[in-house]
Structure formats: structure tokens, C-alpha cells
């Protein structure tokens, strides 16, 4: 056994991990594992409705429970009124707003080949 804790840690980092594709250094394996882990603070929404969980489009008016990953487990954060409010809470953003563009009309007739003349 090494005399100092730093030496022991160095010995461990030089160890190899046996994988199906051969041996890789423990430090390389650790970096890969850290990249695969879910980031702390990631949020998700689950529907607060009867029955099993479905896609968000199934009941857009149902309230949602917002959960946040703390590195160990999903923790409840808040309750969102509906699907759009849950999207804003999960993405940490405000709702997108339509902004009129002067001189542009999507219904104005164009001169493209697909238009009847």
C-alpha cells in the first residue's frame, strides 16, 4: 500500500477496467461514465392524471408535476397548470410570442410555379 493518499489515488487511476472490447484505463472509463450521466438540474414533467403516463399530446390540459434531477433522485419542484406551462418550466424559458413582420403576409398570393394564375 502506498504511503500517501495521493499515491494511492494515482495507483487507482492507472488501473485498468476489463471490458468486452479489451482493457481501458480507469481514468478513460471514468470520463466516459461522467459523460453518460444525467446532468444535475435536468427537469422533466409528468402528467397528474389517472392511469399510466402517456405522451404529452394525449391530455394537454392536465396539470403536470415538474421534477428535477439532483444527482441521485428526481425531486418535485412545482406543479404546472397545463402542457404549455410545463414546457416553459422544463426548458427554463418564457413562452414564444408571435411578432408581426412589416410587409409580410403568409396569405398574400405569390408568383411561384405552384400557384394558379
Amino acid at each position: 500500500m502506498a504511503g500517501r493518499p495521493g499515491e494511492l489515488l494515482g495507483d487507482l487511476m492507472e488501473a485498468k477496467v476489463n471490458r468486452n472490447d479489451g482493457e481501458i484505463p480507469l481514468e478513460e472509463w471514468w470520463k466516459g461514465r461522467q459523460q453518460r450521466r444525467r446532468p444535475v438540474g435536468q427537469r422533466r414533467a409528468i402528467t397528474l392524471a389517472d392511469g399510466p403516463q402517456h405522451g404529452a399530446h394525449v391530455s394537454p390540459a392536465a396539470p403536470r408535476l415538474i421534477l428535477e434531477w439532483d444527482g441521485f433522485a428526481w425531486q418535485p419542484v412545482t406543479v404546472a397548470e397545463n402542457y404549455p406551462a410545463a414546457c416553459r418550466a422544463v426548458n427554463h424559458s418564457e413562452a414564444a410570442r408571435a411578432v408581426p413582420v412589416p410587409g409580410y403576409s403568409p396569405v398574400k398570393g405569390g408568383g411561384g410555379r405552384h400557384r394558379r394564375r
Side-chain angles (χ1 to χ4, degrees), residues 50-116:
D50 294 335
Q53 291 295 311
H54 295 288
H57 65 282
V58 175
S59 53
R64 292 341 198 233
L65 177 63
I66 308 300
L67 302 171
E68 186 173 88
W69 183 251
D70 69 356
F72 181 70
W74 289 102
Q75 300 296 327
V77 176
T78 187
V79 175
E81 181 179 323
N82 52 24
Y83 176 67
C87 287
R88 290 190 299 272
V90 167
N91 297 322
H92 302 287
S93 64
E94 293 297 318
R97 296 186 186 115
V99 178
V101 178
Y104 174 75
S105 173
V107 294
K108 181 172 65 173
R113 290 189 321 174
H114 64 283
R115 302 252 185 211
R116 289 189 176 180

